[in-house]
């Protein structure tokens, strides 16, 4: 059973982030080349601020899927690509926290390993 006081607090927080969420959703539609960063940020808001892991997971997966379909994005811009890989690593890391099974965690950890084998959470 959900605690009504906690749910009221969650709704207040959701209202606080409403404009950021709306602007980010609009940006996702208008600027697909920034999907990784925008979807990651939306996922982080839903996960860490609002406590909606299922919605966060959808946004993290949106970032990963965009990267899968555009693997060469920023390939020739070394520093920008490095920063993008940092966001991707954080996305995989957060997805492991929202995983439903050990198999899923292992699969995501292997993807994270490919991006950043020195990731502290892999150790």
């Amino acid at each position: 059973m959900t605690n009504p006081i906690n749910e009221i607090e969650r709704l207040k927080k959701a209202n606080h982030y409403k404009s950021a969420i709306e602007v980010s959703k609009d940006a996702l539609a208008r600027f697909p080349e920034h999907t990784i960063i925008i979807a990651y940020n939306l996922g982080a808001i839903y996960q860490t601020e609002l406590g909606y892991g299922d919605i966060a997971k959808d946004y993290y997966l949106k970032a990963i899927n965009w990267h899968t379909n555009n693997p060469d994005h920023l390939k020739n811009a070394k520093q920008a690509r490095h920063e993008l890989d940092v966001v991707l690593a954080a996305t995989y890391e957060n997805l492991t926290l929202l995983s439903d099974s050990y198999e899923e965690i292992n699969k995501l950890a292997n993807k994270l390993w490919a991006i950043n084998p020195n990731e502290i959470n892999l150790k």
Side-chain angles (χ1 to χ4, degrees):
M1 185 158 124
T2 303
N3 181 335
I5 294 172
N6 289 343
E7 192 58 29
I8 290 169
E9 290 303 314
R10 189 187 302 223
L11 291 171
K12 283 181 184 178
K13 267 191 166 181
N15 191 48
H16 180 74
Y17 285 96
K18 184 177 179 181
S19 63
I21 290 169
E22 288 176 0
V23 167
S24 295
K25 287 180 179 179
D26 181 58
L28 270 177
R30 296 177 63 206
F31 306 105
E33 68 277 12
H34 299 293
T35 294
I36 293 172
I37 293 170
I38 297 168
Y40 171 80
N41 286 336
L42 276 165
I45 288 171
Y46 279 109
Q47 179 185 11
T48 62
E49 298 299 327
L50 303 178
Y52 292 114
D54 53 339
I55 298 172
K57 192 172 184 178
D58 289 342
Y59 281 109
Y60 292 144
L61 290 172
K62 185 177 197 66
I64 298 302
N65 289 336
W66 192 89
H67 174 257
T68 300
N69 293 324
N70 301 278
D72 293 332
H73 184 64
L74 296 176
K75 185 178 181 181
N76 295 325
K78 189 174 183 174
Q79 184 59 37
R81 182 57 202 215
H82 171 74
E83 296 301 323
L84 191 66
D85 285 344
V86 168
V87 174
L88 283 168
T91 303
Y92 278 111
E93 180 182 347
N94 287 351
L95 276 169
T96 63
L97 297 173
L98 297 170
S99 293
D100 297 323
S101 68
Y102 289 116
E103 284 180 38
E104 187 177 5
I105 290 170
N106 201 18
K107 177 181 161 189
L108 293 165
N110 287 331
K111 300 269 187 175
L112 178 54
W113 185 274
I115 295 170
N116 183 5
N118 296 317
E119 175 62 49
I120 195 161
N121 290 323
L122 290 173
K123 297 177 184 197

